[in-house]
Amino acid sequence: MSDTINFNNTEIAFGTRTKKELLRAKFLFGMLEYGWLTRMAKPLLNIAFKSRLPIDPIIKKTIFSQFCGGESLMECKTKIDALYNGGEIMSILDYSVEGAENETSFDQTLETLLKICEFSEFQKQVPFLVFKPSGLGSLELFEKVSNGSPLDDIEMEKWNKVRNRFEMICESVAKTENLKIMVDAEESWCHTAIDGLTEEMMVKYNTQRTVVFTTVQLYLSKKIDYLRKLKALGEQNRIKIGVKLVRGAYMEKERDRALEHGYESPVCEDKSSTDQNFNNGGNYVLENLDVFDLFLGTHNELSCLQLVKKLKERNISNSDERIWFGQLYGMSDNISYNLAERGYNVAKYVPFGPVRDVMPYLIRRAEENSSVGSQSSREMELIKKELLRRKNSQ
């Protein structure tokens, strides 16, 4: 077997996909290449939902089915089993209901996360849980705490509830034998508060094993400094530090806000400097694996190949439990399946939730796809290649 991983191997990438599924994916990624269509989708869907048009079944059979595991945990079970049985790919169950905005909805999200924990504890194909901090507390509150602004009595009570929610889900995961939990990313102006809570949970629960993972967005130019801070935290407290490295998803919003408020943009100036920052982050974590566990969350083939190369150079086993690769469900199967086939640890983010509640998440994913452009084009290229290979092999 060659040492080089071939991300163009579509036979491995789409081995579990039927022709019908490939044709549906081809249609969807074809639509995503038209940015104007994605921009129109948001207001049109809002109108359709408000008018109570029966469009849920159409959405469920198309974009929802491509990018989501199901509406409930039991619906997800079929897909997470298929991922595992089809290529030993693990799953991260991601409750993707966005827009929680009051204490009741924050408590409901926590309740769902605790149910996911209970469900996942005995599912060997689900090693990670994940949550967005904005599901457990308001972004306005995270921003205020990050700024060091004084909180009134009501806000302080709410902040204590946020801390308790963080504590409850992290403690539940820590009590299991193997489950781990990722704290997902938000906008940079909320990071100080979120990082503070996450570090608190790491110090408390990462003493025996790596339970809590933080997310580091490396399209923010100064995040290498934060990795150094995390290393010091790990050494001082004799704990393991779990880090999920991503490029990031709020680039335009970050730049617009910096311009509006008159401060220097925290975002790397261009794609090449973002790529360099991301690769530097990965290298730094690899150099310090005595402190870190690494989850590389990326759809960038070159970044994955670079990590594979570095692991070989350092004589680190493909299946080393400290190293994970991750992609989103329904995308980059050429990366996920070809890495898993070589014995690397791979996990797919599997979003789930009621169709209407998950739509904001799906639209955001569509917007990211169409703005990057090249991602949809790459998916189309691979799907066409596989369809042609199957036709020629008949």
Side-chain angles (χ1 to χ4, degrees), residues 100-307:
E101 53 194 28
N102 56 51
E103 296 303 306
T104 303
S105 59
F106 298 142
D107 286 336
Q108 285 171 347
T109 300
L110 173 64
E111 194 178 318
T112 302
L113 288 169
L114 294 171
K115 283 178 184 169
I116 297 168
C117 180
E118 194 179 331
F119 171 85
S120 303
E121 184 175 0
F122 304 107
Q123 308 283 334
K124 64 181 177 181
Q125 67 275 49
V126 184
F128 291 94
L129 270 60
V130 64
F131 71 90
K132 279 183 80 66
S134 55
L136 300 183
S138 76
L139 283 176
E140 290 78 13
L141 189 56
F142 282 115
E143 183 179 355
K144 202 164 184 181
V145 173
S146 294
N147 291 339
S149 304
L151 303 182
D152 61 30
D153 289 347
I154 292 172
E155 288 169 331
M156 185 55 75
E157 186 185 346
K158 286 181 178 179
W159 181 244
N160 287 332
K161 284 182 179 178
V162 172
R163 175 181 268 109
N164 289 339
R165 291 181 192 116
F166 262 70
E167 177 95 52
M168 283 181 74
I169 186 57
C170 290
E171 183 183 23
S172 294
V173 171
K175 282 179 177 175
T176 68
E177 204 168 313
N178 296 305
L179 271 181
K180 299 174 273 285
I181 188 157
M182 293 180 187
V183 181
D184 223 336
E186 302 282 2
E187 293 86 343
S188 65
W189 50 91
C190 300
H191 283 187
T192 302
I194 293 166
D195 291 344
L197 283 180
T198 307
E199 289 163 23
E200 198 180 309
M201 296 303 123
M202 284 186 184
V203 169
K204 191 162 185 178
Y205 295 112
N206 285 15
T207 52
Q208 304 301 313
R209 63 184 184 90
T210 318
V211 175
V212 182
F213 280 64
T214 190
T215 300
V216 180
Q217 296 165 299
L218 287 156
Y219 74 152
L220 300 171
S221 58
K222 295 180 180 172
K223 282 298 177 179
I224 298 289
D225 293 337
Y226 184 58
L227 287 173
R228 294 191 184 99
K229 181 188 171 188
L230 287 172
K231 177 177 179 268
L233 180 78
E235 289 171 339
Q236 286 160 12
N237 293 279
R238 296 182 179 180
I239 58 167
K240 291 299 296 270
I241 300 288
V243 287
K244 179 178 73 166
L245 301 186
V246 298
R247 278 173 170 78
Y250 304 107
M251 189 174 291
E252 295 308 318
K253 194 189 282 191
E254 293 279 356
R255 286 183 174 144
D256 289 348
R257 189 177 189 272
L259 200 63
E260 184 185 336
H261 290 265
Y263 60 85
E264 184 185 349
S265 170
V267 177
C268 293
E269 61 184 39
D270 54 29
K271 187 179 186 306
S272 63
S273 54
T274 302
D275 290 342
Q276 189 61 57
N277 208 39
F278 186 81
N279 293 334
N280 288 345
N283 291 341
Y284 182 79
V285 171
L286 275 189
E287 286 162 10
N288 296 285
L289 276 181
D290 54 325
V291 178
F292 290 107
D293 277 22
L294 171 62
F295 187 100
L296 198 78
T298 183
H299 292 189
N300 186 296
E301 295 173 19
L302 290 176
S303 292
C304 293
L305 289 172
Q306 187 186 65
L307 180 57

Side-chain angles (χ1 to χ4, degrees), residues 68-69 76 80 83 91-95 329 348-352:
C68 296
C76 286
I80 64 176
L83 283 169
S91 295
I92 304 167
L93 289 171
D94 182 8
Y95 183 59
Y329 183 78
K348 286 281 202 185
Y349 262 67
V350 182
F352 78 97

